[in-house]
Amino acid sequence: MTRRSAFVAVCLLFVAALSSEVSADGLVNEDVKRTVDLSTHLAKITAEIVLSNHGQSSVQSFILAVDADLAPHMAYIGASVKGDEEEHGTLELQQTSIQGQRGEFYKVLLPSTLAAGAQLKVKTEMMFSHVLKPFPTQITQAERQLVVFQGNHYLYSPYPTRSQTTRVRLASKTVESYTKLGNPSKTDEIIEYGPFRDVAPFSEDALKIHYENNTPFLTITSITRTIEVSHWGNIAVEETIDLRHTGAILKGPFSRYDYQRQSDSGISSVKSFKTILPASAQDVYYRDEIGNISTSHLQVLDDSVEVEVRPRFPLFGGWKTHYIIGYNLPSYEYLYTLGEQYALKMRLVDHVYDDQVIDYMTVKIILPEGAKNIHVDTPYKIDRMPNQLHYTYLDTFGRPVLVATKNNLVEQHIQDFVVHYTFNKILMLQEPLLVVGAFYILFFTTRGIAIWPAEVRMKVASITEQVLTLVNRRLGLYRHMDEVVNRYKQSRDTGALNSGRKTLEADHRTLTSEISSLQARLKTEGSDLAEKVGEIQKLDGQVKELVCRSCSEAERLVGGKVKKETYIESEKSLTSRRQELISRIDSLLDAL
Amino acid sequence: MVTAGLIHYILNLLHVTVHIRDVCVFLAPVFSGLTAISTFLLTRELWNQGAGLLAACFIAIVPGYISRSVAGSFDNEGIAIFALQFTYYLWVSASPPPLPGYSLPIFLSCIILLLVNFFPFILFLVSAWGGYVFIINLIPLHVFALLLMQRYSRRVYIGVFALLQAYAFLQYLKDRLTRQEFQTLFFLGISLAACIVFLTVIYLTYTGLSTSPSLHRCRSTSRPRGCPSSLISTSWSAPSQQAFGFASRTSMMNACLAGKVRKHVSEQEKAEEGLGPNIKSIVTMLMLMLLMMFAVHCTWVTSNAYSSPSVVLASYNHDGTRNILDDFREAYYWLRQNTDEHARVMSWWDYGYQIAGMANRTTLVDNNTWNNSHIALVGKAMSSNESAAYEIMRSLDVDYVLIIFGGVIGYSGDDINKFLWMVRIAEGEHPKDIRESDYFTPQGEFRVDKAGSPTLLNCLMYKMSYYRFGEMQLDFRTPPGFDRTRNAEIGNKDIKFKHLEEAFTSEHWLVRIYKVKKLENREALDHKLRSVVSRQKYTSKKVSVFPLRRDGFSCSLSFMMLSTTYSKTPQKIKTALNSRERKETSNNQ
């Protein structure tokens, strides 16, 4: 390996010698202090560079280079000026390319021009994910996790470097092997390379370190972050997370006994981690497809809410899990408004665990129904997808959903985005009015249905009541007539009988006509009781006839036209028939 | 299911975005509310409003019904009981009034009532619940009783006859048409009938023909009802009592009766003026006490027996804090996440639905397996020794075996306690291979300790349950390997597996999952083995004996070869071996 890398170095030197000693800009890296931090599952490479302008003219920018082998894994790159007064100004980066050279290049725009002969202190930071390869790729539960890092001894730069050192920070003291360029010194977890003097531009020399690293190799393979804004004062955030242990894959059995009894068993596995939520987070839930995950704890601190996320089972190498975490935020902290203008300022991606790596992220921002003129400002480039529509409770034409995706994110990406939109405040009333309207319609239709028969029923009831009293009064007339007849039989006063009969006739006529009119009214109300009343009337006619006949019979008795026995006989049959008719009337009345 | 789907569809159509799961969870509680209302209506029809209220109260606390209507019990009975009560109510309200003399509106209203309300409800009931036979049989019984009591009327005729005609017609259509056509026609017909009825009602209302008052009259309470309550209750209670014998579900129906009877008793008391106020109050007190005790009993039964989840176990510490043992979901979720999507899991049938639902994996047998020989085969695998079981598992294509083991926490419903059933069922199908007596001691005991029968101590279930349990000391008073469920020190502490491998054990050892190893080193490589070894002159001959197979022998050979070249620690050699293999594959690619 060393032989090969030496060969590469020679080649590179040869190439470098061909090109000019000083680049076109005339920039030179005077002093470089590189730190390669491999203590987690990420590789953080920072460099403090003293840049001096040896050219003729002043420069506006310089080029930052990323090694070709590492470039595909780069999650983040940033540069800042390190002033004398400890002021860190983040610089703007533009991707560019240099012909004939491998790797990625970024043009860093300086805040002020660097005059010829002047010096500047710059700090650069790069984050690489998935560059620490587990080796061996499979381990048993009892084994420790070893990883290999392959990088560059030198700062990869288009400028010549006068002097540089590289310090590598590891996760543990145990190191299997490391490249020994320039006889590096190793103390505990730190390996120091250099100083290397006068390194040519684009120098590469393979750095390889094989060491023990039991830090959690957790990767979020995909996360969907949904932010739902409500103008009623709430912002609901929900994150659906797919998590995988991307360290060395567990080989052979998983023994719970060993895991419980031996503290170093499954040392590289992940039992739990902490997620930090915003301080105002409320109603936090943590669940998956089969319900609430009961093994979590929530701690409310002054400046944050900490969730101890414990997956249902410990995550060993190659194991994965899936969960949903969600919470509510008050909108006054994140939603700004001026008239009809609204601005939502929130984190595009939030903390899940320390040193997080997100392979693929989808952000969905659900704005209120009726939001228009939507404009998004993102802190870094993300891929916007076409807007969608989301329908939830009481929506009629859907809420606009902004969708964006991005690959390979790390902690440095926890930054704010801003969404500007306009929203007519009147639209806030739409949903309450919808509910009110629906209830209004419901109420009146049911009330209409309920009232209609009730009114009819009441009317019918009052009419039948009247019918009842009238019929009873009419029956009373007959009883009165009976009395008159009896009195007549004793007094034999024909005048009294006749007058009694006359009044009966008159009263009976008025009552009958009244009942008939009521019957007609019942008929117009559409009640079937009218028929019954008609029946009563018919029966009553028969009763009346009988009464009249008993009356005439009595006259004939008094006149001596019939014998007493015959009269009693006929009277008996008449009363029994009358009784029968009256009982039928009574039963009909009861049925009314 | 169709009901839940329909509700979900309608709600989502209105943009009430309820998850189908929530619909399913809350379906039974919502319908139980409707049941209470229909119980009230039914009892009011039979007696009066007070009795109706009391009956509704009864049905609200009857444990038998609560067990079927707790949130999450998504069963056909949740809907069926409501459909049953409501069908009865509709039947009763459509039953004949006391006197003859019908006019057209009554006639119409009968048809409307029976065809629109009753008939679809019967269909609804039939589709929802197998217990519809109660209704189907009770209604003819009632009609027959009506005939015997000389209460025959045109309404009964119309009701039953129209129903029968319609049903016969449907049957006829069913025979003539394909299923698809029939369904389309059926729904078309139903919607058409609904439309016609709706329009008729509107027309009648509009023209002032009396439909609704008569409809109303049928249900009025202040008048004596057409069908006397005593008749309904007698024609009702006998079959329901019969049903009570084998299924408690009809106890709900009795709640209605109970409400009626109680009310009846109290009214009788009122009628008997001769009783002193003391006796009256004592009886009232007793009644109230009974009712109160009944309510307390119902609450207790409901909370303890019917609505406690069986998947999440909870225990309480001395200080009252609660410990949740979520082992089942832990293991099921592990299966769901970390096994192949098409992995087949063998377990006793009790866990079939849970595995299918929570782990989303294929099971061999589940709670609805009717094939006894299938269950017996699983039982046989569990009760055989490892190599015999491996043959069965290979033939069944089993990837994982899941068992429940309660020995660590003292959970008594585990597989060792169910084991004799597995043996018995296996014996039923395979009497030559499995004999129940082999699993007992000569004294006829089922023991897991040293005195247990050797067949038991070496069978697969025993080994899987107690694998590595012999090393585990739960507390200082008991020896290692002390089973808390059976209060015995296990008899076989030296358990080794040849064909299985522990894949997962949950935190409290409640669920243990074993992986069934594939046959070792017999499969050809998917790429040609590069002749790495042949470069080394002194081993080339030996290795070339097996040029295409990487089995144990050639591996060990290459290992030996490597150990001669690298005189380093074994760890190093392994790494070297790994890196060599890696290179090989990368070269091949």
Side-chain angles (χ1 to χ4, degrees), chain B residues 299-484:
Chain B
T299 321
W300 180 82
V301 168
T302 306
S303 63
N304 279 283
Y306 288 132
S307 51
S308 69
S310 51
V311 168
V312 180
L313 307 172
S315 65
Y316 293 90
N317 297 335
H318 296 296
D319 57 347
T321 53
R322 192 173 61 163
N323 271 342
I324 289 179
L325 306 183
D326 215 349
D327 282 40
F328 284 104
R329 288 197 294 176
E330 178 188 350
Y332 292 143
Y333 205 62
W334 180 85
L335 266 181
R336 187 187 188 111
Q337 291 290 331
N338 294 306
T339 56
D340 184 73
E341 204 185 333
H342 303 292
R344 285 158 295 262
V345 182
M346 180 172 93
S347 75
W348 193 234
W349 61 261
D350 298 25
Y351 320 111
Y353 274 3
Q354 291 185 352
I355 293 170
M358 293 200 228
N360 196 17
R361 290 293 173 270
T362 312
T363 54
L364 293 187
V365 285
D366 65 22
N367 311 42
N368 197 25
T369 301
W370 287 64
N371 186 344
N372 193 45
S373 64
H374 216 91
I375 294 179
L377 207 55
V378 172
K380 189 186 174 190
M382 295 291 193
S383 35
S384 311
N385 64 39
E386 194 193 345
S387 50
Y390 186 61
E391 288 300 314
I392 299 170
M393 292 191 291
R394 288 277 307 162
S395 66
L396 292 174
D397 260 347
V398 175
D399 296 304
Y400 292 91
V401 190
L402 182 144
I403 57 152
I404 306 297
F405 171 60
V408 175
I409 55 162
Y411 175 71
S412 57
D414 68 351
D415 275 348
I416 291 282
N417 279 359
K418 290 175 187 171
F419 184 56
L420 279 180
W421 283 108
M422 305 185 200
V423 173
R424 279 170 201 153
I425 292 170
E427 189 185 12
E429 295 280 328
H430 310 277
K432 283 180 189 162
D433 303 313
I434 306 288
R435 274 174 301 276
E436 192 184 345
S437 54
D438 292 350
Y439 296 84
F440 289 114
T441 57
Q443 289 78 36
E445 289 171 299
F446 181 72
R447 303 179 66 144
V448 295
D449 56 7
K450 278 205 179 73
S453 88
T455 318
L456 173 68
L457 264 53
N458 285 301
C459 74
L460 187 73
M461 176 54 78
Y462 189 93
K463 283 175 85 174
M464 284 196 297
S465 292
Y466 293 119
Y467 178 62
R468 301 208 69 184
F469 185 67
E471 299 165 50
M472 191 165 182
Q473 188 162 19
L474 288 165
D475 64 64
F476 296 108
R477 282 164 296 175
T478 54
F482 185 80
D483 185 331
R484 279 186 181 166

Side-chain angles (χ1 to χ4, degrees), chain B residues 540-570:
Chain B
S540 62
K541 264 187 185 173
K542 284 179 185 172
V543 174
S544 61
V545 177
F546 309 98
L548 282 171
R549 291 221 166 142
R550 183 191 289 185
D551 50 22
F553 185 43
S554 66
C555 261
S556 63
L557 275 179
S558 57
F559 191 80
M560 274 161 58
M561 173 273 296
L562 280 165
S563 56
T564 53
T565 46
Y566 296 84
S567 54
K568 287 180 186 171
T569 56

Side-chain angles (χ1 to χ4, degrees), chain B residues 81-115:
Chain B
I81 302 295
F82 159 68
L84 183 128
Q85 295 285 48
F86 205 63
T87 312
Y88 276 135
Y89 165 64
L90 292 174
W91 173 249
V92 168
S93 40
S95 290
L99 281 171
Y102 302 98
S103 55
L104 186 75
I106 291 187
F107 178 78
L108 271 178
S109 74
C110 289
I111 293 181
I112 289 165
L113 256 177
L114 284 165
L115 279 183

Side-chain angles (χ1 to χ4, degrees), chain B residues 519-524 549-551:
Chain B
L519 286 173
E520 256 180 302
N521 295 331
R522 294 282 168 86
E523 275 143 288
R549 291 221 166 142
R550 183 191 289 185
D551 50 22

Side-chain angles (χ1 to χ4, degrees), chain A residues 256 289 294 320 322 392 395 526, chain B residues 15 210 326 330 333 338 505:
Chain A
R256 179 66 74 169
E289 293 104 316
S294 52
K320 64 185 173 66
H322 171 95
T392 181
D395 285 349
Chain B
H15 291 325
S210 57
D326 215 349
E330 178 188 350
Y333 205 62
N338 294 306
T505 298

Side-chain angles (χ1 to χ4, degrees), chain B residues 188-262:
Chain B
L188 209 82
I190 287 282
S191 45
L192 203 74
C195 277
I196 289 171
V197 166
F198 185 66
L199 290 174
T200 319
V201 169
I202 285 181
Y203 173 73
L204 290 176
T205 315
Y206 194 72
T207 52
L209 273 169
S210 57
T211 310
S212 277
S214 62
L215 261 174
H216 176 82
R217 222 202 68 78
C218 286
R219 299 172 189 194
S220 72
T221 54
S222 53
R223 310 282 168 188
R225 288 295 316 145
C227 106
S229 52
S230 58
L231 170 58
I232 270 286
S233 52
T234 43
S235 74
W236 224 36
S237 56
S240 66
Q241 287 304 327
Q242 260 184 359
F244 197 80
F246 58 88
S248 67
R249 49 184 68 125
T250 33
S251 66
M252 286 63 105
M253 305 202 294
N254 290 338
C256 176
L257 282 180
K260 199 198 83 65
V261 169
R262 296 272 156 103

